[in-house]
Amino acid sequence: MRISEIEGHLRKFRVGIAGAGGLGSNCAATLARAGIGTLVLSDFDIVDLGNLSRQFYFVSQVGMEKTSALKENLIRIRPEIKIITHHAKLNKTNIPIVFAGCDVIVEAFDKAEMKEMLIKVVQQGMPGIPLIIGSGLAGWGNSDKLKCRKIDETLYVCGDELSETSDELPPLSPRVGIVANMQADAVVEILMKKE
Amino acid sequence: MKIILNNTEEEFAVKAMSVSDMLKFKKFSFRMRIVKINGKLIPGEEYDSTIINDGDNVQMIYLMSGG
């Protein structure tokens, strides 16, 4: 299949990204390059100088809402992409509304409790919508332990499922980028099979 | 009984067990996790009352902070 055909196919779909930090911002950039037609970005945070160690933002964007800054960057990659932004904290009530109509959802939260909440809401309240979660990306090295595990048709887990971030084991750009791109690859894999 | 646990066949020396039993037998002590049985998500408050049957496909996913 030629790249023009692949891009033509991927353009038809809408992908939701829950969180625009290390995983979400890098996954969004990869999906924009791959040719996904519409991205729904959701995050409550603003860009901080410390984020630049691993997130897809620039010094000039410090202080901006992450969703607005990311939209700006994605449009620079692919001007025709449609970006829908929600500058809000996601919860049980707004998740089905924010991500309504999405063909796949990427979980890109920081906190495990938020990951759990999103999994419950999507798996129980949005049946049939595939969810790609990130779990275990802290530190450096051991990149052979990072994997994408298909649980079933609606749930994939990317990461080592082992390393939790802490002050002593922070998230660093290389492993965060690998997991974000694994998540993007799972999205592409799912959508390439979809009519 | 035999079940599929995270894509691998595992044998347990009991006839039936709850999700809580399985987590105990396997020493899965980390609390942030998701359990699915045959594709169905099992909420934490139902771990004691949900029985895993012979041949079930059980998936246990640890949720690590970081993203």
Side-chain angles (χ1 to χ4, degrees):
Chain A
M1 205 174 191
R2 288 171 183 277
I3 193 148
S4 58
E5 293 172 84
I6 296 167
E7 290 181 348
H9 179 74
L10 293 177
R11 193 180 303 143
K12 298 185 290 191
F13 300 107
R14 175 187 294 221
V15 177
I17 303 180
L23 289 178
S25 65
N26 289 301
C27 185
T30 299
L31 290 174
R33 290 187 200 281
I36 303 295
T38 307
L39 294 179
V40 179
L41 312 174
S42 179
D43 199 295
F44 64 91
D45 211 359
I46 59 166
V47 179
D48 177 270
L49 200 56
N51 298 151
L52 303 191
S53 67
R54 63 196 182 281
Q55 305 184 16
F56 184 50
Y57 300 106
F58 299 92
V59 173
S60 62
Q61 293 177 317
V62 168
M64 279 180 79
E65 292 177 359
K66 284 188 175 177
T67 49
S68 309
L70 187 53
K71 178 179 181 175
E72 198 174 89
N73 299 342
L74 299 174
I75 286 171
R76 288 184 70 186
I77 293 171
R78 194 177 278 273
E80 72 275 21
I81 193 170
K82 284 195 206 103
I83 307 286
I84 299 162
T85 60
H86 293 272
H87 178 71
K89 186 154 183 160
L90 288 169
N91 57 45
K92 280 181 213 167
T93 316
N94 64 14
I95 286 169
I97 301 164
V98 166
F99 296 121
C102 286
D103 299 285
V104 185
I105 299 171
V106 174
E107 179 282 312
F109 288 138
D110 182 26
K111 294 199 166 41
E113 291 77 12
M114 288 292 284
K115 293 174 187 286
E116 184 189 33
M117 185 270 296
L118 182 77
I119 295 166
K120 282 183 179 164
V121 172
V122 174
Q123 295 258 284
Q124 294 176 333
M126 304 176 77
I129 305 300
L131 177 64
I132 321 293
I133 72 168
S135 178
L137 48 73
W140 58 92
N142 295 311
S143 60
D144 58 320
K145 297 285 187 275
L146 297 170
K147 59 198 185 303
C148 181
R149 189 157 75 91
K150 182 179 178 177
I151 304 299
D152 52 46
E153 293 303 323
T154 60
L155 189 63
Y156 292 67
V157 186
C158 299
D160 61 18
E161 299 181 51
L162 204 66
S163 60
E164 186 151 60
T165 54
S166 65
D167 289 343
E168 293 303 310
L169 199 66
L172 295 183
S173 174
R175 288 183 118 235
V176 170
I178 292 168
V179 175
N181 281 291
M182 277 184 172
Q183 290 183 291
D185 186 55
V187 170
V188 170
E189 183 186 3
I190 289 166
L191 294 179
M192 289 307 295
K193 285 184 205 148
K194 195 172 161 144
E195 286 296 305
Chain B
M1 64 184 286
K2 277 184 193 165
I3 63 168
I4 307 292
L5 179 60
N6 289 352
N7 305 327
T8 306
E9 192 176 84
E10 295 234 14
E11 194 153 4
F12 291 83
V14 290
K15 291 231 162 62
M17 60 182 170
S18 65
V19 173
S20 298
D21 293 334
M22 185 275 291
L23 295 172
K24 206 162 49 189
F25 294 151
K26 291 297 295 178
K27 300 190 171 70
F28 288 145
S29 56
F30 189 71
R31 294 187 65 82
M32 290 310 303
R33 64 198 160 207
I34 288 289
V35 173
K36 292 187 91 174
I37 301 179
N38 301 327
K40 185 173 176 282
L41 191 72
I42 310 297
E45 57 272 22
E46 293 174 20
Y47 285 175
D48 284 339
S49 59
T50 303
I51 301 301
I52 299 174
N53 294 302
D54 198 60
D56 276 352
N57 180 6
V58 180
Q59 295 276 359
M60 207 285 310
I61 305 141
Y62 278 154
L63 301 176
M64 314 308 292
S65 283

